[in-house]
Amino acid sequence: MAKIKLSMPNLGDARMRKQKNTMTYTYRLDDTYKNEGHGKTYYIYTYGCQGNEADSEVISGILEDLGYTLAISGEDSDLVILNTCAIRENAENRIWGVLGNLKGIKAKRPNMLIGICGCMPQEENATNKLITSYPFVDLIFGTHNIYDLPKLLHEAYSKESKVIEVISTEGDIYEGAPKHRALNHKAWVNIMFGCDEFCTYCIVPYTRGKERSRAKDDIINEVKELVKKGYKEVTLLGQNVNAYGKDLGLDYTFGDLLYDLDKTGIARIRFTTSHPKDLDLKTIYAMRDCKSVMPQLHLPVQSGDDHILKKMNRKYTHQEYLDKIAILKKEIPNISLTTDIIVGFPNETEEEFNNTLKLVDEVKFEGAFTFIYSKREGTPAARMEDSVSLEEKHRRLDKLNELVDKYYLEGNKRFEGKIVHVLVDGISKNNKDNLCGYSENLKLVHFPSKDMSLIGQIVPVKIIEGKTWFALGELVSE
Ligand code: SAH
Ligand code: SF4
Ligand code: F3S
């Protein structure tokens, strides 16, 4: 098949931070492409973080603007898009596996067009492998050019060519793109894009470009629109939301944004992800003062050891982290804290690992995502010497998970006998007689009910029993 190679990724370029101002563009569908999707169906597989989920909603919006309709599954759709994640090797392995399956489907349905986007194509190794080993992939694009999708699809269809365009730029902002939101009651709202932290293990600053904040009015107006449409909850998204506004050079920070969004009338505000170094008092006070800001915070610590934290370039110490936790617990006594932890960072010693366990005991996180360090080509940590065996890393992960699970359970048990308010998402997966949703503290709650009209509503539920991963309750009236 002919190839149109418009541009290839380059991790070296992606590392640069030279551009002074971020450009903001308004999305507009070029007349040339209108109705090009008419009569065709699409399906998107989304992997990775909420940033990717939000991007997939934009991709859906753009495709529907072109006339495509959503298929029931990837297998019988005309256009399949894989929105990928590159955070760890196993995330990438999963994608290679999915591509293997798609190969068989495409052999039976050769007219199906397969596109791949997201963070994986931003790595040159991955894109080279896609080109050489997966020739049936028709379209490869990245995180910076989802807004060019109409043009890219046009080229792929009209010239019957494989199209590759991955841009390693610092990134811009696009406002006004259509979004097909997955849900009607809770929504992702990007407040910023990219990351400038360069934690030494992490690929995200390379795949997502520089930290760039949306204008506050664009965010506030988006939330106001959501309120009008009946949305109950927004989750503000950014790799480091506490850095919001820094690039705009204004005296307006994330805390200010929370106070302003509280006034929009949205019932619930959550946000992710916070960086311990940038979490400031104004944010903590906004969490305390604003009724809509939920008493829950995900504050990735990564490690409890000062030496490892330094090697990770996290810019805080064990004690500084604890100091912030103490303020959070003082100002918001009912808060639920969760975190991310990496074990087996290059040359992590037993003692250094024990400092992480100690910190988990001190904070008593009510949940944690725990990972074994995964080497990412192109990052500084990939060049660090590592003499810890994989077997040992697994042992540490198991030990950490045992401790984390203990506090998970305690975090759910502490609500037994109490009334919480659950934003109902839908029918429980494992028991169709139950509905489920999340409480203020982001606890997953299941309760018996067949009243479908409750979906999308916030209802009072008395917690009967806290389990490790969820709580069981019953509907009450207030
Ligand atoms: N911006 C967020 C989350 C980024 S990715 C933050 O800073 O917290 C989500 C999590 O993946 C990280 O918090 C980290 O725990 C984990 N992670 C990132 N890179 C990793 C790697 N190379 N190996 C293992 N875990 C990693
Ligand atoms: Fe990665 Fe660190 Fe940025 Fe989070 S803050 S996305 S861990 S570089
Ligand atoms: Fe993965 Fe990219 Fe998100 S690497 S975690 S999809 S920013």
Side-chain angles (χ1 to χ4, degrees):
M1 193 183 17
K3 276 195 204 101
I4 306 181
K5 242 194 215 180
L6 294 169
S7 60
M8 286 289 286
N10 182 306
L11 288 176
D13 290 346
R15 194 181 297 134
M16 299 298 168
R17 294 291 185 267
K18 286 189 295 203
Q19 188 182 313
K20 273 210 191 73
N21 298 318
T22 299
M23 297 298 292
T24 299
Y25 298 101
T26 304
Y27 173 84
R28 193 184 145 263
L29 179 60
D30 193 307
D31 286 345
T32 332
Y33 310 127
K34 272 199 179 132
N35 291 323
E36 283 207 342
H38 189 74
K40 296 195 187 99
T41 59
Y42 78 94
Y43 196 83
I44 306 175
Y45 292 92
T46 307
Y47 304 89
C49 63
Q50 296 93 336
N52 259 12
E53 287 186 31
D55 281 351
S56 286
E57 294 187 343
V58 173
I59 295 171
S60 288
I62 292 175
L63 292 175
E64 288 177 18
D65 212 18
L66 284 167
Y68 286 86
T69 50
L70 182 61
I72 294 164
S73 76
E75 295 187 13
D76 49 28
S77 86
D78 301 313
L79 167 66
V80 170
I81 290 187
L82 261 63
N83 192 0
T84 64
C85 172
I87 201 80
R88 284 170 291 274
E89 196 182 356
N90 54 11
E92 298 203 340
N93 286 341
R94 209 164 142 205
I95 308 289
W96 301 126
V98 174
L99 279 171
N101 289 340
L102 283 175
K103 185 180 179 181
I105 298 167
K106 173 121 177 178
K108 284 188 221 131
R109 301 185 52 233
N111 287 334
M112 172 190 247
L113 196 125
I114 298 179
I116 182 157
C117 65
C119 286
M120 249 169 100
Q122 295 290 146
E123 306 171 295
E124 50 243 51
N125 283 350
T127 292
N128 283 330
K129 184 167 167 186
L130 279 168
I131 295 170
T132 49
S133 309
Y134 297 84
F136 57 92
V137 173
D138 304 287
L139 173 61
I140 304 172
F141 58 110
T143 56
H144 293 297
N145 55 345
I146 59 179
Y147 305 93
D148 283 336
L149 193 53
K151 176 195 85 179
L152 299 172
L153 283 170
H154 177 83
E155 306 234 310
Y157 275 117
S158 62
K159 303 197 182 131
E160 293 187 0
S161 301
K162 184 189 195 83
V163 176
I164 306 138
E165 184 174 50
V166 188
I167 309 164
S168 292
T169 155
E170 293 173 53
D172 299 306
I173 291 182
Y174 280 81
E175 291 293 346
K179 278 183 197 159
H180 175 110
R181 298 198 189 261
L183 300 168
N184 296 322
H185 60 285
K186 54 185 194 183
W188 309 118
V189 175
N190 284 108
I191 62 163
M192 58 199 298
F193 304 93
C195 182
D196 283 349
E197 295 310 322
F198 289 98
C199 303
T200 54
Y201 49 81
C202 185
I203 196 75
V204 174
Y206 307 80
T207 63
R208 293 275 172 175
K210 81 169 196 155
E211 229 159 59
R212 46 206 198 274
S213 305
R214 288 178 71 196
K216 77 174 175 46
D217 289 341
D218 289 329
I219 301 168
I220 294 168
N221 287 337
E222 183 171 346
V223 174
K224 281 185 181 161
E225 278 302 308
L226 290 165
V227 174
K228 262 195 224 151
K229 288 183 185 150
Y231 278 81
K232 298 284 190 311
E233 180 177 298
V234 293
T235 301
L236 310 176
L237 297 182
Q239 294 299 342
N240 173 9
V241 291
N242 303 103
Y244 173 78
K246 288 190 177 167
D247 57 311
L248 298 176
L250 305 170
D251 189 20
Y252 185 93
T253 62
F254 183 61
D256 296 307
L257 183 66
L258 287 178
Y259 279 109
D260 278 346
L261 290 175
D262 185 50
K263 294 182 209 139
T264 60
I266 190 81
R268 292 183 164 191
I269 300 174
R270 305 186 191 276
F271 52 88
T272 195
T273 308
S274 286
H275 195 300
K277 145 180 92 72
D278 291 322
L279 176 72
D280 60 356
L281 282 176
K282 194 163 217 174
T283 302
I284 298 175
Y285 294 156
M287 293 179 75
R288 176 197 65 191
D289 299 341
C290 302
K291 201 168 156 269
S292 63
V293 181
M294 293 293 104
Q296 156 264 317
L297 182 69
H298 186 65
L299 194 61
V301 69
Q302 313 300 0
S303 165
D305 181 79
D306 289 350
H307 179 231
I308 294 288
L309 285 169
K310 200 165 174 64
K311 278 171 69 175
M312 287 177 163
N313 192 30
R314 290 291 289 179
K315 303 191 188 98
Y316 53 84
T317 62
H318 183 121
Q319 189 54 45
E320 282 163 356
Y321 186 88
L322 288 184
D323 292 346
K324 293 229 166 140
I325 297 293
I327 302 171
L328 281 160
K329 286 187 175 173
K330 176 171 164 276
E331 299 296 340
I332 312 142
N334 180 34
I335 196 166
S336 290
L337 294 161
T338 54
T339 199
D340 290 348
I341 297 171
I342 298 176
V343 301
F345 190 75
N347 274 354
E348 181 191 59
T349 64
E350 185 72 22
E351 196 191 332
E352 288 165 344
F353 169 64
N354 285 336
N355 283 332
T356 297
L357 294 178
K358 187 163 166 270
L359 185 126
V360 171
D361 268 325
E362 287 159 338
V363 180
K364 302 185 172 49
F365 295 107
E366 293 184 5
F369 295 115
T370 56
F371 311 103
I372 290 180
Y373 165 74
S374 171
K375 186 173 172 173
R376 303 285 72 208
E377 232 32 86
T379 63
R383 296 188 297 273
M384 293 179 192
E385 198 192 311
D386 189 6
S387 57
V388 189
S389 70
L390 191 59
E391 198 188 355
E392 171 60 17
K393 293 186 186 200
H394 276 283
R395 188 195 64 82
R396 289 183 193 168
L397 184 71
D398 290 346
K399 197 164 175 197
L400 173 64
N401 283 342
E402 214 177 288
L403 188 63
V404 163
D405 290 355
K406 181 180 113 181
Y407 292 119
Y408 245 115
L409 179 63
E410 282 184 17
N412 280 320
K413 284 229 167 275
R414 81 173 166 103
F415 289 94
E416 283 179 355
K418 299 209 168 86
I419 294 174
V420 299
H421 297 86
V422 175
L423 173 54
V424 184
D425 283 331
I427 302 167
S428 304
K429 279 208 184 87
N430 299 331
N431 182 347
K432 61 178 177 23
D433 296 328
N434 282 351
L435 292 177
C436 66
Y438 288 88
S439 71
E440 294 91 333
N441 290 57
L442 202 61
K443 302 289 172 190
L444 176 59
V445 178
H446 296 260
F447 59 95
S449 174
K450 291 193 169 231
D451 184 355
M452 296 303 141
S453 72
L454 298 183
I455 295 172
Q457 303 300 317
I458 297 174
V459 298
V461 175
K462 186 171 172 184
I463 300 300
I464 308 293
E465 191 187 356
K467 306 255 195 193
T468 304
W469 314 116
F470 62 94
L472 286 171
E474 63 186 18
L475 264 178
V476 288
S477 51
E478 269 184 316

